[in-house]
Structures are given as structure tokens and as C-alpha cells.
Amino acid sequence: MNDLKLFAKGWNDYELIDAGGNKKLERWGKIVTIRPERQAYFQSGLSFKEWNEIAHWEFVDKNNTSGTWKALKPNSPDAWNITFQGCVFELRLTKFKHIGVFPEQNINWKKISSFLYEEAKMLNLFAYTGGASLIGKKKGADVYHIDAVKQLIRWAKTNQELSELDNIRWVLEDALKFSQREVKRGNQYDLIIMDPPAWGIGAKNEKWKIENKLDELIGNASTLLRSNGQLILNTYSPKVEVLDLLQFAKKHFIESNFSVHELWMTSSTQKELYFGNILYAKK
């Protein structure tokens, strides 16, 4: 296994300014936010007083699943756009602290961009607001975007329009069930990317825990990949460790064809923040 730690970097429209005290300070274009972050259990580089002088919005938890945004500057917009490599993302303040982009995923977007080619077939499972889908379509790939939440697919379609792209294949369906059906149908892909949630409740109140589904997800992906196809799997769950990913990868891929890493970012104040684990695998 190569270097365990991989470090994602910011770009013109995103900066991890600081982290600490179970929070993170981020710049999205010209807008700065403060959000809860359980991995930021250390001392921040700047004082919270300095954070409040910089930030436009702070997310305040109500409970484990939702909260509200507190305006720290008057007339701050609650929706705005940022760009990455020609793709445009609409950001919005939501009650779940997320605003429409997981910026650390740009390390995987770059990998997608370097691997894909025109008319390659790409499957984006748990596709959220479509960051990976936009990058794939920008490269000319035939992109299948799978998500079980109708509002998120609408948001992803907005991002497609803002990015002046078209013909992404939208599928409103549970990602695991879709992968099961694709295996039965015998379909295959050149690239599969997935960033499954740690936990959740399905449309029929079924409980989702990633640690119980990971083996099947990786197995399905292995079956669905064409020869020389690539899998990118990101997990952000305290229940899934590097050793778990290694175990499942060894079961479904040749050992020389995969690597497992921890995903990190370094703030502008030199604080290192952990963002989960990544599996890269080749068929």
C-alpha cells in the first residue's frame, strides 16, 4: 500500500481557512461559513472572535440531524455559485449544515478527469448534487447519476444547466438496489464512483448503515466494471476503518490493483483535518 495519507487541496473558489474546537472555517468564493466538524477536536489556529469577524454565516446545531444558520454579516446571500474546472455549483444553506459541495472530493474529481475519455461509461452512485457527474460529462463521458432523493437530483440538474452541460442520465433510485439490478442486467462501466452516507433512513423507513452494506457495494462494483475499469469509493464513517476497506478490497479485487488511503486537508493555518477513507481499485 502506498502513502496512507492523501491531501486534497483547495482552489480559487474554496479555502479551508481554519479548523478547531469542533468547527471549521471555510471560504466558498467570497462567502465564509462556520460549520460543526467532529474531527476538529484540536485547538484552532485563529480565535473564534477572529472567525466571527471573517465569517458571513454560522451553522448552529439543533440536534444530531438538523440546525439553523445564523447570519454574522447583514445582507449575506443564502445562495450563490462557485466554479471548479469550468463546472458551476449552486450553493445553498440547508438545515443539514451541508451547502451543496463536499470540497475534499475535488481530489477524486481530478482523478476522474485524468482517467475518463470521450464516450466512456461512468456510474455515479449516491451522486448528491452531481459534482462527479459534471466532471465526467465535461470529459464527454456517458454519465449515469443515481440518487434516491428527488430534491438532490433537481439540485444536480440546476448545476448541469449552470455548467452548460446536458444529457446526464438521471436515475431516481436507491443506489444499492440500482447496482443489484445492473449486475442482473449484465451492464458494465469504465468508471464507478460512490460516496455512500454513513447512515440514513430509506423511503420505506428501512435503516441504512454503511458498515453493513460495504461488502455488497464493493462486490457489485467489481462485477460492474469492465476490464481496466476504475472504482473510486469514499467513506466518512467512524464505523469504517482502513482495515475494513482493505478486507473487502482483497475479497473482490487483485491485491496489486487497489490502494486504500486516508483523506485529509490542511487549513491555511496548517491544521490537518481528516475526511474519511478512500479505496481506489482497478479491474
Side-chain angles (χ1 to χ4, degrees):
M1 189 167 60
N2 295 326
D3 294 340
L4 180 61
K5 283 188 175 183
L6 291 181
F7 283 87
K9 296 180 180 179
W11 66 95
N12 287 345
D13 269 358
Y14 177 79
E15 177 187 5
L16 177 60
I17 301 171
D18 195 14
N22 296 310
K23 299 179 182 182
K24 56 187 174 184
L25 180 69
E26 302 166 281
R27 178 182 60 79
W28 315 81
K30 295 181 179 179
I31 303 300
V32 177
T33 63
I34 300 171
R35 298 192 291 166
E37 177 51 68
R38 68 185 178 201
Q39 295 294 339
Y41 47 78
F42 39 79
Q43 178 69 40
S44 60
L46 304 172
S47 69
F48 282 168
K49 181 177 182 295
E50 290 174 291
W51 284 31
N52 288 335
E53 290 172 352
I54 297 170
H56 297 82
W57 293 99
E58 179 173 10
F59 186 86
V60 181
D61 279 320
K62 276 187 176 179
N63 50 51
N64 290 332
T65 58
S66 66
T68 58
W69 288 91
K70 176 184 176 183
L72 301 178
K73 286 184 172 51
N75 302 316
S76 297
D78 58 7
W80 67 101
N81 298 341
I82 64 170
T83 63
F84 178 85
Q85 292 188 355
C87 296
V88 182
F89 303 93
E90 182 186 66
L91 305 185
R92 308 172 192 166
L93 304 181
T94 75
K95 64 179 181 179
F96 305 113
K97 86 178 177 181
H98 301 302
I99 64 174
V101 169
F102 296 120
E104 71 279 0
Q105 288 302 306
N106 82 84
I107 195 171
N108 293 327
W109 300 343
K110 291 173 183 175
K111 196 170 183 71
I112 290 170
S113 186
S114 66
F115 172 77
L116 279 181
Y117 47 90
E118 195 165 348
E119 297 185 1
K121 196 174 176 184
M122 171 182 161
L123 176 61
N124 186 7
L125 296 170
F126 311 95
Y128 192 49
T129 59
S133 300
L134 298 182
I135 298 297
K137 180 52 66 173
K138 193 83 173 176
K139 292 291 290 188
D142 185 10
V143 178
Y144 289 72
H145 175 111
I146 320 300
D147 203 282
V149 181
K150 186 180 295 185
Q151 296 94 320
L152 290 179
I153 287 187
R154 283 202 297 262
W155 197 339
K157 286 180 177 179
T158 296
N159 289 337
Q160 176 188 240
E161 293 168 4
L162 290 170
S163 302
E164 298 182 350
L165 298 169
D166 56 19
N167 295 327
I168 292 174
R169 300 176 187 265
W170 310 105
V171 181
L172 177 65
E173 190 173 351
D174 176 89
L176 177 58
K177 290 179 181 177
F178 180 84
S179 72
Q180 292 166 341
R181 292 190 180 102
E182 286 293 88
V183 168
K184 290 179 181 178
R185 289 187 282 249
N187 291 331
Q188 290 194 306
Y189 298 85
D190 299 292
L191 185 142
I192 299 173
I193 182 168
M194 50 180 153
D195 187 12
W199 61 273
I201 304 295
K204 298 181 180 179
N205 290 320
E206 65 272 27
K207 291 184 178 179
W208 164 276
K209 292 183 179 179
I210 182 58
E211 61 269 23
N212 298 334
K213 307 293 185 180
L214 203 51
D215 186 13
E216 184 177 4
L217 279 169
I218 294 173
N220 288 349
S222 175
T223 302
L224 291 172
L225 283 174
R226 291 173 175 160
S227 178
N228 294 316
Q230 298 275 350
L231 168 66
I232 300 172
L233 168 65
N234 196 93
T235 68
Y236 189 70
S237 168
K239 298 290 184 67
V240 178
E241 299 180 354
V242 164
L243 290 177
D244 298 315
L245 285 181
L246 279 172
Q247 174 189 344
F248 296 135
K250 286 177 182 178
K251 182 177 176 181
H252 299 291
F253 291 90
I254 298 172
E255 191 157 354
S256 60
N257 282 0
F258 66 82
S259 61
V260 176
H261 310 271
E262 293 178 351
L263 178 56
W264 295 75
M265 291 189 81
T266 303
S267 74
S268 298
T269 57
Q270 301 307 302
K271 300 292 181 178
E272 293 186 357
L273 194 57
Y274 169 71
F275 284 93
N277 302 316
I278 300 179
L279 166 65
Y280 294 134
K282 179 181 177 182
K283 187 67 179 284

